[in-house]
Amino acid sequence: MPTKKKLGAKVTPKNKLNCQLEVVVNDLVYKGEAETLDQCLKDFIASPDFPFAVKTRVVIRYSEGDKAGQVIWPTLKARRQFNLISLKPYWSELVAERFENNLA
């Protein structure tokens, strides 16, 4: 007797967004997810929550999988870093690389 095949939708695994970024600046909280920390930073720069004038210290919480880290930037450092990230696209890669090194 021949075997019967069941027809149905195949389940394809979705790309998990395993990196999270939370930025607290100027009494605003930005939360985002992406595949990499670099993409999280680029999404933050492109979001309407991106501050053009940093007035307070910045708290950045990030995680990749089950590893998490936190960075607190003073006001002057945050202004400098955000200006560099918005003006030079490669700078977000360098910052994301530093964050990843802190996770290990």
Side-chain angles (χ1 to χ4, degrees):
M1 210 184 264
T3 60
K4 295 182 180 180
K5 292 184 179 179
K6 286 190 172 182
L7 298 177
K10 292 184 179 180
V11 178
T12 58
K14 295 181 180 178
N15 290 340
K16 286 190 173 183
L17 302 177
N18 62 345
C19 293
Q20 289 87 24
L21 179 73
E22 180 181 345
V23 181
V24 181
V25 59
N26 296 346
D27 297 330
L28 295 173
V29 178
Y30 169 81
K31 293 183 181 183
E33 294 184 8
E35 292 179 11
T36 63
L37 283 175
D38 179 39
Q39 188 60 43
C40 285
L41 284 170
K42 288 180 181 177
D43 292 346
F44 172 61
I45 301 301
S47 76
D49 293 334
F50 181 72
F52 290 103
V54 177
K55 299 175 185 171
T56 62
R57 67 184 175 133
V58 177
V59 178
I60 301 174
R61 293 182 190 98
Y62 53 92
S63 65
E64 186 172 25
D66 58 348
K67 300 176 186 175
Q70 177 176 328
V71 174
I72 299 174
W73 286 344
T75 307
L76 293 176
K77 182 176 181 176
R79 285 180 188 161
R80 203 169 340 143
Q81 293 293 328
F82 286 154
N83 283 338
L84 286 170
I85 288 172
S86 63
L87 295 175
K88 299 178 181 181
Y90 67 88
W91 198 261
S92 67
E93 296 172 11
L94 297 174
V95 173
E97 196 172 301
R98 267 190 259 146
F99 288 169
E100 288 173 1
N101 289 340
N102 288 339
L103 289 174

